[in-house]
Amino acid sequence: IDLLGYMGWRIRVDMTSIHIENPEVEPVPRHVEEILSWVFRRQDEHFNTLPTSLVIRGLGQYDELIPWLSSNLRVTNLTSGARVSEQWNIISLLSRPVAPMSNEWALSDLEIIDLCVFEEAAKSEILKMVEARHSFIRTVEDQGRGNVTLKQFKDIRLHEGRINGSESEAADAEFLGALDKIGRGAEIWWEGVKWAGARTEAELVV
């Protein structure tokens, strides 16, 4: 699913791509759910088990679609280019179970995440989100409560939400180091370059 422009989503499942693009009149989320349910029912019976890529360019009133998609598709890859306020909502949704005392998490199959870091405060929120998900996995494993349904991240890709053509800042070594520490082996990327401790992978090759 890809939200293109200010408002629009694209869902990509195998060879199927579904676009909701810049509607003139925003339909209520329930109406969108009904449309998507109709589309999903007409796909192969294994459609909801295939890896799905979700790209968000705007969120608006559709934040409640994320838990719904989590229940109906196997979303493994999330890219968000949403505005600052909307990205806070996305990170918040991913940072906690869907309900108090629940073991269910939004986008529990998520393994690859690509986020804009619009402002300094976003770094701490991203750290909290990754820590919350990975701590839950570790707790379930330590308590031997059976299979863990929440997946840990394999790739965490970050880039700046540049404003007015501002130049890219250098990678924040302290932030990326902290992320690497709680990442449980996830590969960390900053502006398309893989993080390799105090030096980037590109610098290590030289």
Side-chain angles (χ1 to χ4, degrees):
I1 299 177
D2 195 339
L3 281 151
L4 302 170
Y6 167 64
M7 184 61 60
W9 295 47
R10 181 178 66 216
I11 305 172
R12 188 172 303 232
V13 187
D14 196 27
M15 299 300 291
T16 301
S17 185
I18 304 168
H19 298 252
I20 306 173
E21 193 170 345
N22 296 325
E24 293 182 6
V25 179
E26 295 184 5
V28 296
R30 179 63 62 187
H31 186 207
V32 176
E33 291 175 10
E34 291 172 355
I35 294 171
L36 291 175
S37 293
W38 182 87
V39 173
F40 295 166
R41 287 196 300 270
R42 279 150 182 79
Q43 306 303 314
D44 183 271
E45 61 179 322
H46 302 297
F47 186 77
N48 63 350
T49 68
L50 297 172
T52 299
S53 175
L54 170 61
V55 181
I56 298 176
R57 291 284 179 262
L59 196 62
Q61 62 179 321
Y62 294 96
D63 54 349
E64 63 188 72
L65 274 178
I66 292 179
W68 183 85
L69 288 169
S70 182
S71 300
N72 289 273
L73 291 173
R74 184 174 159 239
V75 178
T76 59
N77 189 329
L78 170 66
T79 298
S80 171
R83 298 179 304 173
V84 178
S85 59
E86 296 176 335
Q87 184 136 291
W88 287 122
N89 291 342
I90 294 169
I91 294 173
S92 177
L93 283 168
L94 297 177
S95 297
R96 62 184 188 275
V98 295
M101 307 303 291
S102 171
N103 290 330
E104 298 296 323
W105 291 68
L107 305 184
S108 60
D109 293 302
L110 194 60
E111 296 178 327
I112 301 171
I113 189 166
D114 188 325
L115 297 171
C116 285
V117 182
F118 282 100
E119 51 192 17
E120 195 68 22
K123 295 177 182 179
S124 63
E125 295 304 311
I126 290 170
L127 286 171
K128 290 175 185 176
M129 181 269 290
V130 175
E131 174 66 18
R133 291 173 78 94
H134 285 185
S135 292
F136 177 82
I137 295 171
R138 185 167 55 249
T139 298
V140 173
E141 290 173 343
D142 291 346
Q143 294 178 353
R145 288 193 272 155
N147 294 330
V148 184
T149 56
L150 181 64
K151 299 291 190 300
Q152 66 185 44
F153 290 116
K154 292 182 178 178
D155 264 23
I156 302 173
R157 298 176 175 267
L158 304 170
H159 50 93
E160 288 184 273
R162 302 178 195 171
I163 300 175
N164 298 328
S166 59
E167 292 185 3
S168 176
E169 295 181 2
D172 183 335
E174 183 178 354
F175 165 58
L176 296 178
L179 191 58
D180 186 47
K181 185 175 180 180
I182 63 175
R184 290 175 63 101
E187 293 188 348
I188 312 297
W189 300 77
W190 178 261
E191 295 289 2
V193 179
K194 184 179 176 182
W195 175 251
R199 294 176 294 168
T200 65
E201 186 174 80
E203 291 170 327
L204 290 172
V205 172
V206 175

